[in-house]
Amino acid sequence: PDTPKENQSFIGEIVSNIDPTAPEHYSYFRKSNVEYGERFFIGNGVAGHDETSENFQLSWEYDKNPEVSFNYGCMNSNYDNYDENATVSYGSCTNFNTTIQGIINGDIVVDEDQPATVSISGKMVSFAQTSGPWIIKITDDDGYEIEVIGYWDIHNSIINYLIDPYNQTNYVVSITGSLGSYNNKYQIETFNATQIDDYIQYFTHGEFIEDSQVLNAEIIVAPYVVIPSIGERINFMYSFPSESRVVIRIFSMDGRFITSLVDRYYDTGGTVLRAEDYSSWDGMDHLGQIVNPGTYLIHIEASNFLTAETTSDVAPIVIGVAH
């Protein structure tokens, strides 16, 4: 007599005890070899275990299939949170009916008996897990902040990457939920993953493409002259092996240190593309001053923490002036 369905601890979001299904392009992964909560007697397992008594929420998870490249988001351009990079839609499309500033200024009256449904947008700046709900804080361009909460399992949802502490991407998210307040602070409560959508992504440290087959450090710079004095920046990309500390610096032709752009450890090899205004080089030195016109060298060094093997590469950058 194994544990009946109504008493089992499924992973994922449970609605009326319906078996949770991993979203498309996701699979189930065992994250622990410990069979938490499992009874090792009077069961139908091979060794007599009650296999369905295991607390699957503790020992299993679902995550993106590593071989599939996709991005969840709103694919309908008629909505405010349309994401031109989205490849899979999951019902997150929404139009904004207010702003964070509007909520703070009291444009919408908070009624705890009949909460208003609001849809807003803002940059995600922090995440915290409490003994009750989890809390995301978002802000607008003018510094107005609001808390977004949820009592559902964000860790095992399709947006779990938003709260990954090792994910250095910045996100502008759309939020749809019920407006309320707690301790004299406005909060928006969400009820599932479809109410949160990262429709804008900023790769402030570059966009990483995993490739464990990379064996040597390499750096490639966009083949044009850059003029920092008129706001131009230079794009570059670099590759490195797994288990490497990657250091990228700018030097003058006579070997003087100019600035450091990257100093980070990567457990997996791959390529990073730094081709956006917030990740490319702005032509300034470590003191924030625009460098003089001329040719400079961008140098990469990748040191393997396990073998101590080091590989390096260098490429020229030409700094010009406006006429």
Side-chain angles (χ1 to χ4, degrees):
D2 286 346
T3 300
K5 179 188 293 186
E6 59 270 18
N7 294 332
Q8 293 173 19
S9 298
F10 294 105
I11 68 169
E13 299 173 24
I14 309 304
V15 181
S16 300
N17 287 324
I18 298 175
D19 294 344
T21 301
E24 185 179 7
H25 304 304
Y26 276 67
S27 293
Y28 295 98
F29 296 89
R30 176 174 279 281
K31 61 182 180 181
S32 173
N33 290 326
V34 178
E35 297 171 314
Y36 292 103
E38 183 167 307
R39 294 187 300 175
F40 302 120
F41 56 90
I42 319 178
N44 291 319
V46 173
H49 295 189
D50 178 356
E51 299 291 351
T52 59
S53 65
E54 181 178 350
N55 188 334
F56 300 107
Q57 296 176 359
L58 297 178
S59 54
W60 285 76
E61 64 184 348
Y62 58 72
D63 205 346
K64 292 179 181 178
N65 295 341
E67 75 279 5
V68 177
S69 177
F70 67 96
N71 178 41
Y72 279 115
C74 178
M75 300 175 65
N76 189 329
S77 59
N78 294 321
Y79 287 88
D80 292 338
N81 64 335
Y82 167 66
D83 184 355
E84 62 180 9
N85 297 313
T87 58
V88 178
S89 179
Y90 72 112
S92 63
C93 291
T94 189
N95 285 317
F96 308 137
N97 61 10
T98 187
T99 62
I100 299 176
Q101 182 177 357
I103 293 174
I104 301 300
N105 290 339
D107 291 352
I108 298 179
V109 177
V110 176
D111 185 346
E112 300 297 344
D113 295 326
Q114 191 173 359
T117 298
V118 296
S119 294
I120 62 172
S121 172
K123 180 182 177 182
M124 179 176 166
V125 294
S126 68
F127 170 81
Q129 183 81 59
T130 72
S131 57
W134 50 258
I135 302 173
I136 284 176
K137 183 178 290 185
I138 64 173
T139 182
D140 63 15
D141 293 338
D142 296 317
Y144 289 91
E145 296 181 341
I146 194 167
E147 292 181 342
V148 180
I149 70 170
Y151 290 89
W152 48 278
D153 187 5
I154 192 173
H155 298 277
N156 281 319
S157 73
I158 57 179
I159 58 171
N160 57 4
Y161 56 90
L162 292 178
I163 58 173
D164 180 357
Y166 301 104
N167 183 358
Q168 297 188 354
T169 305
N170 288 342
Y171 298 98
V172 174
V173 296
S174 65
I175 303 291
T176 298
S178 296
L179 181 63
S181 64
Y182 179 74
N183 283 343
N184 296 319
K185 288 185 177 180
Y186 289 105
Q187 290 184 331
I188 298 176
E189 183 176 359
T190 59
F191 301 97
N192 56 60
T194 63
Q195 294 186 295
I196 302 177
D197 177 42
D198 59 313
Y199 70 106
I200 301 176
Q201 303 87 35
Y202 294 109
F203 302 103
T204 54
H205 293 266
E207 184 173 3
F208 175 58
I209 303 170
E210 183 176 324
D211 184 359
S212 59
Q213 303 303 311
V214 176
L215 300 177
N216 297 292
E218 182 181 18
I219 195 159
I220 300 174
V221 180
Y224 53 76
V225 177
V226 61
I227 305 177
S229 60
I230 60 173
E232 291 185 350
R233 304 172 68 103
I234 191 73
N235 301 336
F236 63 97
M237 60 185 295
Y238 58 95
S239 304
F240 46 85
S242 300
E243 305 290 352
S244 292
R245 177 191 178 191
V246 178
V247 180
I248 297 179
R249 301 186 180 96
I250 304 291
F251 295 95
S252 65
M253 289 295 289
D254 59 1
R256 289 183 296 108
F257 170 76
I258 302 299
T259 191
S260 179
L261 303 181
V262 176
D263 189 345
R264 182 182 174 190
Y265 170 77
Y266 290 89
D267 57 357
T268 303
T271 298
V272 173
L273 176 63
R274 299 186 68 152
E276 302 184 52
D277 287 346
Y278 29 78
S279 63
S280 52
W281 183 43
D282 57 6
M284 296 186 182
D285 62 17
H286 68 288
L287 297 176
Q289 304 297 313
I290 294 177
V291 298
N292 294 325
T295 301
Y296 293 82
L297 300 176
I298 184 168
H299 179 271
I300 181 174
E301 181 179 271
S303 302
N304 188 294
F305 269 23
L306 300 179
T307 66
E309 180 181 1
T310 299
T311 61
S312 62
D313 193 22
V314 65
I317 298 177
V318 178
I319 301 295
V321 293
H323 294 288

